[in-house]
Amino acid sequence: MMNTSALDAVLAQVDQGLDASLERLKALLRIPSISTDPAFAQDCRRAADWLVADLQGLGFEAAARPTPGHPIVVAHGPQTPGPHVLFYGHYDVQPVDPLALWHTDPFEPVIKEGPEGRTIIVGRGASDDKGQLMTFLEACRAWKAATGSLPVRVSVMLEGEEESGGKNLPGFMRANAQELRADVALVCDTDMWDRQTPSITSMLRGLVGEEITVTCANKDLHSGMFGNAARNPNQVVADIVASLRAPDGSVTLEGFYDDVPEITPELRAQWEGLGFDEAAFLGSVGLSIPAGEAGRSVLETIWSRPTCEINGIWGGYTGDGFKTVIPSQASAKISFRLVGNMDPDKIRAAFRRHVEARIPADCTVTFKEHGGSPAVTVPSEGIYLRQALKALTDEWNKPAVITGSGGSIPVAGEFKSILGRDTLLIGFAHVDDAIHSPNEKYDLESFHRGIRAWVRVLAAFADSAKA
Ligand code: BES
Ligand code: MN
Ligand code: MN
């Protein structure tokens, strides 16, 4: 066994260094690394450089590696015997709009009292994913400070385009597969089951993003002079959008459910055992009536059923006042979340056929693709998983559970398909963190116990090598 006094010393180091850890997190949060907006490209670069310097300070060989987009930070700790882990996080963040709804500057992090007397840190990226990725780096720092070294070999890969499609990562991983191949990949970008219960996520949904623009007349028209005679693209887009779901909540694309498996009775029983509170979940966002496929539980529809969501619709006049116009163009952004073996290319093609069949012969449609990735299922057994579950259980004093997730983290699939490695998805976020939303926050408890949890996970991996 890892000598327990070493582990205790590292955990004590975490507790004692927490204020300094928070200062470093704040410094990273002050950099507005919004990857989707070219105006912030320099800031993405600055965030990457900041992380490189931090990792070098921890004794890693680190560099910001160029891509056609934002750099990817890659770092390698010293060679040690035993397992080699590759940690992944992303340093880019979502845009801050609507800015008016923030109570404080999104890039001037503040620590304050949150709901139920909890202490929180507020700022864009506090949870997704700067707060989460820093839990791992701070765990490495504590190991170094308390014992002079890391208990296992650690490599780190930090992406700067996760929130904007992540186009350059797969190519980078393919080109550097030899260098990046470790025994197991760790990703810190997911939630806990609830405030007291740590979890490892075993399923993520995939994603297909599509944007359509429908053009009817060759210019905007007076809606009195042309109304009834000229086709209205807003109507065409609305009809298409409305046709995507049947009244029972199912998605109508041809073949949509072909590769969707039913969950096993064992998994269903395990999920039921988690005791999910549907009313509280919907109530927390001001709703009470589940949408989606009839006859399935909310948890099941989020974790194991595909969805079609209309993320944006626009066209015509939406400013103040009123304008009687038939616009020339209208658009929509639509995403599909995939499960099981659904193939992103096949779903995209089915969607395009569905749309094309509904475009009047004298109108046109153009498509813009916004990424695609399949669903990910990670094995729910194995030595690293068992060790990690135990480490989380020890930290929270409550058995860690295995959960699904409705979100998408494409890199988890790429670790398998490109590097041939399984991923452990371990995160400390909470559903009320408001990721992608105004006033994003991370609980100080998530940050603190997250660091302590990684300290324990690394210790457990070192042990598993000796066992
Ligand atoms: N960290 C999230 C994914 C996530 C959210 C996992 C909540 C588990 C719980 C990640 O940064 C994200 O936002 N992913 C995007 C997909 C990406 C391709 C734009 C998503 O899920 O929409
Ligand atoms: Mn994320
Ligand atoms: Mn995100």
Side-chain angles (χ1 to χ4, degrees):
M1 273 294 287
M2 160 92 30
N3 121 24
T4 37
S5 69
L7 178 57
D8 287 343
V10 183
L11 292 172
Q13 175 67 37
V14 172
D15 299 348
Q16 188 192 311
L18 187 65
D19 287 342
S21 299
L22 274 169
E23 284 312 311
R24 282 184 289 271
L25 172 57
K26 280 178 161 173
L28 181 59
L29 289 171
R30 285 191 191 101
I31 307 174
S33 47
I34 302 170
S35 60
T36 198
D37 184 343
F40 295 89
Q42 271 316 309
D43 297 298
C44 290
R45 169 92 231 172
R46 272 208 295 141
D49 290 343
W50 188 94
L51 287 161
V52 166
D54 197 52
L55 283 156
Q56 285 169 342
L58 289 173
F60 283 69
E61 226 174 83
R65 310 268 284 264
T67 76
H70 305 304
I72 295 171
V73 174
V74 177
H76 300 291
Q79 292 273 4
T80 55
H84 178 190
V85 306
L86 173 61
F87 175 82
Y88 166 93
H90 62 90
Y91 67 78
D92 64 322
V93 299
Q94 288 279 343
V96 298
D97 64 288
L99 185 57
L101 296 186
W102 285 79
H103 304 315
T104 52
D105 181 341
F107 295 108
E108 192 40 68
V110 290
I111 294 174
K112 63 180 204 183
E113 191 168 310
E116 294 153 29
R118 298 192 305 268
T119 309
I120 58 176
I121 177 160
V122 182
R124 173 56 88 229
S127 175
D128 187 11
D129 186 41
K130 289 173 172 173
Q132 299 242 66
L133 80 84
M134 285 304 284
T135 59
F136 187 84
L137 299 199
E138 292 301 319
C140 292
R141 193 181 326 271
W143 269 105
K144 276 232 42 162
T147 71
S149 64
L150 297 174
V152 294
R153 174 141 206 244
V154 175
S155 292
V156 172
M157 178 170 79
L158 306 171
E159 184 188 2
E161 301 186 301
E162 195 274 346
E163 300 290 15
S164 55
K167 269 197 203 65
N168 294 301
L169 189 66
F172 181 84
M173 287 171 71
R174 250 176 251 119
N176 299 282
Q178 207 54 37
E179 179 189 343
L180 295 170
R181 195 162 289 137
D183 295 304
V184 62
L186 304 173
V187 172
C188 191
D189 201 19
T190 49
D191 290 343
M192 285 177 44
W193 166 246
D194 65 21
R195 230 160 265 299
Q196 291 80 36
T197 318
S199 64
I200 297 187
T201 300
S202 71
M203 298 164 76
L204 292 163
R205 290 195 289 190
L207 189 69
V208 165
E210 282 279 277
E211 179 173 334
I212 60 169
T213 296
V214 173
T215 306
C216 294
N218 60 13
K219 58 167 84 70
D220 285 8
L221 305 170
H222 187 288
S223 68
M225 291 170 71
F226 284 91
N228 272 348
R231 185 79 58 175
N232 187 324
N234 280 337
Q235 185 73 52
V236 175
V237 167
D239 289 346
I240 288 169
V241 158
S243 73
L244 288 168
R245 284 212 198 232
D248 67 1
S250 63
V251 176
T252 56
L253 292 192
E254 205 176 308
F256 192 68
Y257 293 96
D258 282 359
D259 302 309
V260 177
E262 285 295 331
I263 56 173
T264 62
E266 294 78 44
L267 194 56
R268 185 179 300 278
Q270 193 216 316
W271 286 359
E272 273 164 13
L274 291 169
F276 183 68
D277 186 340
E278 294 190 355
F281 178 72
L282 283 177
S284 73
V285 293
L287 294 172
S288 57
I289 305 166
E293 288 174 277
R296 295 182 185 271
S297 76
V298 168
L299 204 60
E300 185 183 358
T301 59
I302 297 172
W303 286 0
S304 73
R305 302 298 294 174
T307 181
C308 164
E309 299 303 333
I310 320 303
N311 303 118
I313 313 181
W314 67 103
Y317 185 70
T318 57
D320 286 343
F322 202 72
K323 180 179 180 187
T324 50
V325 65
I326 298 174
S328 164
Q329 291 192 318
S331 302
K333 290 185 197 275
I334 295 162
S335 60
F336 298 90
R337 299 272 170 177
L338 315 184
V339 303
N341 298 317
M342 292 172 87
D343 174 354
D345 296 333
K346 197 172 137 191
I347 297 302
R348 193 186 305 283
F351 170 72
R352 291 186 177 192
R353 279 197 306 276
H354 182 99
V355 171
E356 269 157 358
R358 287 164 177 77
I359 302 294
D362 59 347
C363 303
T364 56
V365 62
T366 55
F367 296 93
K368 186 169 175 193
E369 89 151 82
H370 289 281
S373 61
V376 175
T377 303
V378 299
S380 46
E381 53 187 37
I383 175 80
Y384 296 116
L385 179 85
R386 278 201 302 281
Q387 297 279 7
L389 282 173
K390 176 165 187 317
L392 295 175
T393 298
D394 288 348
E395 175 57 28
W396 271 272
N397 236 317
K398 174 139 193 238
V401 294
I402 295 182
T403 56
S405 172
S408 306
I409 306 179
V411 74
E414 287 145 15
F415 281 131
K416 188 76 191 177
S417 63
I418 300 175
L419 302 181
R421 291 297 178 267
D422 288 326
T423 298
L424 287 180
L425 296 153
I426 301 175
F428 316 107
H430 293 300
V431 265
D432 67 354
D433 280 355
I435 66 171
H436 297 201
S437 201
N439 307 305
E440 177 177 351
K441 61 91 174 158
Y442 202 40
D443 288 16
L444 228 56
E445 189 179 8
S446 293
F447 187 61
H448 186 185
R449 297 192 109 160
I451 301 171
R452 290 174 52 99
W454 285 124
V455 164
R456 293 179 188 275
V457 168
L458 295 181
F461 286 176
D463 272 349
S464 72
K466 287 174 213 135

